[in-house]
Short mmCIF file of all heavy atoms in Angstrom, two decimals:
data_model
loop_
_atom_site.label_atom_id
_atom_site.label_comp_id
_atom_site.label_asym_id
_atom_site.label_seq_id
_atom_site.Cartn_x
_atom_site.Cartn_y
_atom_site.Cartn_z
N GLU T 1 -25.86 -80.53 198.45
CA GLU T 1 -25.54 -81.38 199.55
C GLU T 1 -24.03 -81.28 199.87
O GLU T 1 -23.68 -81.63 200.91
CB GLU T 1 -25.97 -82.75 199.34
CG GLU T 1 -27.50 -82.93 199.34
CD GLU T 1 -27.98 -84.35 199.36
OE1 GLU T 1 -27.02 -85.24 199.44
OE2 GLU T 1 -29.11 -84.62 199.28
N ASP T 2 -23.24 -80.81 198.94
CA ASP T 2 -21.83 -80.75 199.15
C ASP T 2 -21.42 -79.33 199.53
O ASP T 2 -20.18 -79.05 199.74
CB ASP T 2 -21.04 -81.13 197.88
CG ASP T 2 -21.18 -82.61 197.66
OD1 ASP T 2 -21.26 -83.45 198.54
OD2 ASP T 2 -21.29 -82.97 196.34
N GLU T 3 -22.36 -78.39 199.70
CA GLU T 3 -21.97 -77.00 199.99
C GLU T 3 -21.50 -76.92 201.38
O GLU T 3 -22.02 -77.68 202.36
CB GLU T 3 -23.27 -76.08 199.79
CG GLU T 3 -22.98 -74.61 200.09
CD GLU T 3 -21.82 -74.20 199.22
OE1 GLU T 3 -20.61 -74.21 199.75
OE2 GLU T 3 -22.15 -73.58 198.17
N PHE T 4 -20.63 -76.02 201.72
CA PHE T 4 -20.03 -75.83 203.10
C PHE T 4 -21.23 -75.26 203.98
O PHE T 4 -22.00 -74.35 203.54
CB PHE T 4 -18.91 -74.87 203.00
CG PHE T 4 -18.00 -74.94 204.28
CD1 PHE T 4 -17.21 -75.98 204.57
CD2 PHE T 4 -18.09 -73.75 205.11
CE1 PHE T 4 -16.54 -75.87 205.74
CE2 PHE T 4 -17.34 -73.75 206.27
CZ PHE T 4 -16.51 -74.88 206.47
N PRO T 5 -21.33 -75.65 205.25
CA PRO T 5 -22.41 -75.23 206.15
C PRO T 5 -22.56 -73.73 206.20
O PRO T 5 -23.61 -73.20 206.41
CB PRO T 5 -22.11 -75.88 207.40
CG PRO T 5 -21.34 -77.14 207.01
CD PRO T 5 -20.48 -76.84 205.82
N ALA T 6 -21.42 -73.01 206.25
CA ALA T 6 -21.51 -71.53 206.42
C ALA T 6 -22.21 -70.90 205.22
O ALA T 6 -22.94 -69.97 205.43
CB ALA T 6 -20.15 -70.92 206.60
N VAL T 7 -22.04 -71.43 204.00
CA VAL T 7 -22.87 -70.93 202.85
C VAL T 7 -24.27 -71.29 203.01
O VAL T 7 -25.09 -70.47 202.69
CB VAL T 7 -22.18 -71.52 201.59
CG1 VAL T 7 -22.84 -70.86 200.34
CG2 VAL T 7 -20.75 -71.27 201.58
N VAL T 8 -24.52 -72.52 203.46
CA VAL T 8 -25.98 -73.01 203.68
C VAL T 8 -26.68 -72.08 204.70
O VAL T 8 -27.80 -71.66 204.47
CB VAL T 8 -25.98 -74.45 204.06
CG1 VAL T 8 -27.44 -74.91 204.48
CG2 VAL T 8 -25.43 -75.39 203.08
N MET T 9 -25.97 -71.76 205.73
CA MET T 9 -26.65 -70.90 206.69
C MET T 9 -26.88 -69.50 206.19
O MET T 9 -27.87 -68.95 206.40
CB MET T 9 -25.57 -70.63 207.92
CG MET T 9 -25.55 -71.90 208.82
SD MET T 9 -24.65 -71.62 210.34
CE MET T 9 -22.96 -71.84 209.80
N ALA T 10 -25.97 -68.93 205.35
CA ALA T 10 -26.18 -67.70 204.73
C ALA T 10 -27.35 -67.80 203.75
O ALA T 10 -28.22 -66.88 203.72
CB ALA T 10 -24.99 -67.25 203.97
N ALA T 11 -27.55 -68.84 203.05
CA ALA T 11 -28.65 -69.09 202.12
C ALA T 11 -29.98 -69.17 202.84
O ALA T 11 -30.95 -68.69 202.43
CB ALA T 11 -28.38 -70.27 201.19
N ALA T 12 -29.94 -69.91 203.97
CA ALA T 12 -31.13 -70.01 204.79
C ALA T 12 -31.65 -68.62 205.32
O ALA T 12 -32.82 -68.37 205.29
CB ALA T 12 -30.90 -71.02 205.91
N ASN T 13 -30.60 -67.93 205.82
CA ASN T 13 -30.98 -66.47 206.27
C ASN T 13 -31.47 -65.64 205.19
O ASN T 13 -32.45 -64.87 205.41
CB ASN T 13 -29.76 -65.88 206.77
CG ASN T 13 -30.09 -64.59 207.49
OD1 ASN T 13 -30.91 -64.45 208.40
ND2 ASN T 13 -29.37 -63.59 207.08
N TYR T 14 -30.99 -65.77 204.00
CA TYR T 14 -31.45 -65.12 202.81
C TYR T 14 -32.95 -65.36 202.60
O TYR T 14 -33.80 -64.50 202.36
CB TYR T 14 -30.69 -65.37 201.51
CG TYR T 14 -31.25 -64.78 200.29
CD1 TYR T 14 -30.60 -63.64 199.72
CD2 TYR T 14 -32.27 -65.42 199.59
CE1 TYR T 14 -31.12 -63.09 198.49
CE2 TYR T 14 -32.75 -64.83 198.44
CZ TYR T 14 -32.17 -63.70 197.95
OH TYR T 14 -32.65 -63.10 196.81
N ALA T 15 -33.29 -66.68 202.68
CA ALA T 15 -34.69 -67.10 202.44
C ALA T 15 -35.57 -66.50 203.42
O ALA T 15 -36.74 -66.12 203.16
CB ALA T 15 -34.69 -68.55 202.48
N ALA T 16 -35.16 -66.39 204.69
CA ALA T 16 -35.97 -65.77 205.73
C ALA T 16 -36.16 -64.31 205.48
O ALA T 16 -37.29 -63.84 205.66
CB ALA T 16 -35.44 -66.06 207.12
N VAL T 17 -34.99 -63.60 205.23
CA VAL T 17 -35.13 -62.14 205.01
C VAL T 17 -35.91 -61.85 203.88
O VAL T 17 -36.74 -60.83 203.81
CB VAL T 17 -33.65 -61.60 204.89
CG1 VAL T 17 -33.73 -60.17 204.46
CG2 VAL T 17 -32.99 -61.75 206.20
N ARG T 18 -35.80 -62.63 202.77
CA ARG T 18 -36.51 -62.33 201.47
C ARG T 18 -37.96 -62.97 201.46
O ARG T 18 -38.61 -63.00 200.48
CB ARG T 18 -35.68 -62.75 200.31
CG ARG T 18 -34.46 -62.03 200.15
CD ARG T 18 -34.53 -60.63 199.86
NE ARG T 18 -33.28 -59.98 199.64
CZ ARG T 18 -33.11 -58.76 199.24
NH1 ARG T 18 -34.14 -57.98 199.23
NH2 ARG T 18 -31.86 -58.23 199.11
N CYS T 19 -38.26 -63.67 202.56
CA CYS T 19 -39.51 -64.37 202.72
C CYS T 19 -39.89 -65.28 201.52
O CYS T 19 -40.87 -65.26 200.84
CB CYS T 19 -40.72 -63.29 202.81
SG CYS T 19 -40.75 -62.48 204.29
N ARG T 20 -38.88 -66.19 201.20
CA ARG T 20 -38.91 -67.11 200.16
C ARG T 20 -39.45 -68.48 200.67
O ARG T 20 -38.81 -69.35 201.22
CB ARG T 20 -37.53 -67.38 199.58
CG ARG T 20 -36.79 -66.18 199.03
CD ARG T 20 -37.57 -65.57 197.75
NE ARG T 20 -38.15 -66.52 196.75
CZ ARG T 20 -38.35 -66.13 195.58
NH1 ARG T 20 -38.10 -64.84 195.19
NH2 ARG T 20 -38.94 -66.87 194.74
N GLY T 21 -40.82 -68.53 200.64
CA GLY T 21 -41.46 -69.68 201.20
C GLY T 21 -41.17 -70.97 200.43
O GLY T 21 -41.25 -72.15 200.98
N ASP T 22 -40.69 -70.87 199.11
CA ASP T 22 -40.30 -72.02 198.37
C ASP T 22 -38.98 -72.54 198.82
O ASP T 22 -38.46 -73.44 198.22
CB ASP T 22 -40.23 -71.66 196.83
CG ASP T 22 -39.56 -70.28 196.51
OD1 ASP T 22 -39.30 -69.56 197.51
OD2 ASP T 22 -39.34 -70.06 195.36
N ALA T 23 -38.37 -72.06 199.87
CA ALA T 23 -37.13 -72.54 200.35
C ALA T 23 -37.38 -73.75 201.32
O ALA T 23 -36.42 -74.55 201.58
CB ALA T 23 -36.39 -71.50 201.15
N LEU T 24 -38.65 -74.01 201.75
CA LEU T 24 -38.81 -74.94 202.79
C LEU T 24 -38.46 -76.31 202.27
O LEU T 24 -37.98 -77.15 203.10
CB LEU T 24 -40.32 -74.83 203.19
CG LEU T 24 -40.72 -73.60 203.98
CD1 LEU T 24 -42.28 -73.58 204.12
CD2 LEU T 24 -40.03 -73.59 205.37
N GLU T 25 -38.71 -76.67 201.13
CA GLU T 25 -38.39 -78.01 200.59
C GLU T 25 -36.97 -78.21 200.66
O GLU T 25 -36.43 -79.35 201.00
CB GLU T 25 -38.87 -78.14 199.13
CG GLU T 25 -38.68 -79.57 198.54
CD GLU T 25 -39.13 -79.62 197.14
OE1 GLU T 25 -39.77 -78.72 196.67
OE2 GLU T 25 -38.80 -80.64 196.53
N ALA T 26 -36.05 -77.18 200.44
CA ALA T 26 -34.63 -77.40 200.50
C ALA T 26 -34.15 -77.46 201.91
O ALA T 26 -33.03 -77.87 202.09
CB ALA T 26 -33.96 -76.22 199.83
N PHE T 27 -34.86 -77.07 202.82
CA PHE T 27 -34.57 -77.14 204.22
C PHE T 27 -34.49 -78.60 204.72
O PHE T 27 -33.82 -78.93 205.72
CB PHE T 27 -35.42 -76.23 205.18
CG PHE T 27 -35.29 -74.84 205.03
CD1 PHE T 27 -36.26 -73.94 205.60
CD2 PHE T 27 -34.14 -74.29 204.49
CE1 PHE T 27 -36.08 -72.60 205.45
CE2 PHE T 27 -33.98 -72.86 204.34
CZ PHE T 27 -34.90 -72.07 204.88
N GLY T 28 -35.34 -79.42 204.13
CA GLY T 28 -35.41 -80.83 204.52
C GLY T 28 -34.09 -81.53 204.62
O GLY T 28 -33.75 -82.01 205.67
N PRO T 29 -33.31 -81.60 203.56
CA PRO T 29 -32.03 -82.26 203.60
C PRO T 29 -31.03 -81.61 204.55
O PRO T 29 -30.20 -82.27 205.03
CB PRO T 29 -31.52 -82.06 202.08
CG PRO T 29 -32.74 -81.98 201.30
CD PRO T 29 -33.74 -81.16 202.11
N VAL T 30 -31.16 -80.27 204.80
CA VAL T 30 -30.24 -79.66 205.77
C VAL T 30 -30.65 -80.19 207.06
O VAL T 30 -29.65 -80.50 207.85
CB VAL T 30 -30.54 -78.06 205.73
CG1 VAL T 30 -29.66 -77.40 206.77
CG2 VAL T 30 -30.22 -77.55 204.33
N LEU T 31 -31.87 -80.37 207.40
CA LEU T 31 -32.28 -80.99 208.66
C LEU T 31 -31.88 -82.43 208.75
O LEU T 31 -31.48 -82.78 209.85
CB LEU T 31 -33.84 -80.82 208.87
CG LEU T 31 -34.39 -81.35 210.14
CD1 LEU T 31 -33.84 -80.67 211.37
CD2 LEU T 31 -35.93 -81.12 210.11
N ASP T 32 -31.99 -83.13 207.64
CA ASP T 32 -31.68 -84.58 207.67
C ASP T 32 -30.14 -84.73 208.20
O ASP T 32 -29.90 -85.64 208.91
CB ASP T 32 -31.85 -85.11 206.28
CG ASP T 32 -33.28 -85.25 205.90
OD1 ASP T 32 -34.18 -85.30 206.71
OD2 ASP T 32 -33.66 -85.49 204.66
N ARG T 33 -29.35 -83.96 207.64
CA ARG T 33 -27.95 -84.05 207.93
C ARG T 33 -27.69 -83.83 209.47
O ARG T 33 -26.79 -84.51 210.08
CB ARG T 33 -27.02 -83.14 207.19
CG ARG T 33 -27.06 -83.43 205.69
CD ARG T 33 -25.90 -82.70 204.92
NE ARG T 33 -26.20 -81.29 204.79
CZ ARG T 33 -26.92 -80.72 203.72
NH1 ARG T 33 -27.50 -81.54 202.82
NH2 ARG T 33 -27.13 -79.45 203.62
N ALA T 34 -28.39 -83.00 210.11
CA ALA T 34 -28.21 -82.77 211.49
C ALA T 34 -28.92 -83.81 212.35
O ALA T 34 -28.57 -83.93 213.60
CB ALA T 34 -28.90 -81.45 211.88
N LEU T 35 -29.83 -84.60 211.80
CA LEU T 35 -30.50 -85.66 212.61
C LEU T 35 -29.82 -87.02 212.39
O LEU T 35 -30.45 -87.97 212.87
CB LEU T 35 -31.95 -85.77 212.07
CG LEU T 35 -32.86 -84.45 212.45
CD1 LEU T 35 -34.25 -84.69 211.88
CD2 LEU T 35 -32.91 -84.30 213.87
N ARG T 36 -28.65 -87.06 211.76
CA ARG T 36 -27.97 -88.32 211.66
C ARG T 36 -27.46 -88.75 213.15
O ARG T 36 -27.37 -87.85 213.97
CB ARG T 36 -26.75 -88.12 210.89
CG ARG T 36 -27.08 -87.94 209.30
CD ARG T 36 -25.95 -87.59 208.57
NE ARG T 36 -26.31 -87.39 207.10
CZ ARG T 36 -25.43 -86.78 206.22
NH1 ARG T 36 -24.27 -86.30 206.54
NH2 ARG T 36 -25.88 -86.71 204.91
N PRO T 37 -27.18 -90.01 213.27
CA PRO T 37 -26.81 -90.42 214.64
C PRO T 37 -25.66 -89.76 215.27
O PRO T 37 -25.58 -89.40 216.42
CB PRO T 37 -26.52 -91.91 214.42
CG PRO T 37 -27.34 -92.39 213.30
CD PRO T 37 -27.39 -91.13 212.30
N THR T 38 -24.60 -89.41 214.35
CA THR T 38 -23.45 -88.71 214.86
C THR T 38 -23.25 -87.44 213.91
O THR T 38 -22.29 -87.56 213.01
CB THR T 38 -22.14 -89.59 214.93
OG1 THR T 38 -21.93 -90.18 213.71
CG2 THR T 38 -22.29 -90.56 216.01
#
């Protein structure tokens, strides 16, 4: 949760390219941070 967003983006792209379906659980907190009020 303290990782810099650019690294998170690279990791999410890795998961898509490598078809890592087990990444989906880790996407939840990434989405949570974007859904905060501000």
Side-chain angles (χ1 to χ4, degrees):
E1 294 189 1
D2 294 324
E3 184 55 272
F4 195 73
V7 183
V8 173
M9 286 190 277
N13 185 57
Y14 175 100
V17 170
R18 300 290 185 181
C19 289
R20 301 297 316 201
D22 48 347
L24 290 170
E25 183 180 353
F27 288 164
V30 178
L31 180 58
D32 289 342
R33 292 193 287 273
L35 294 176
R36 292 169 179 165
T38 54

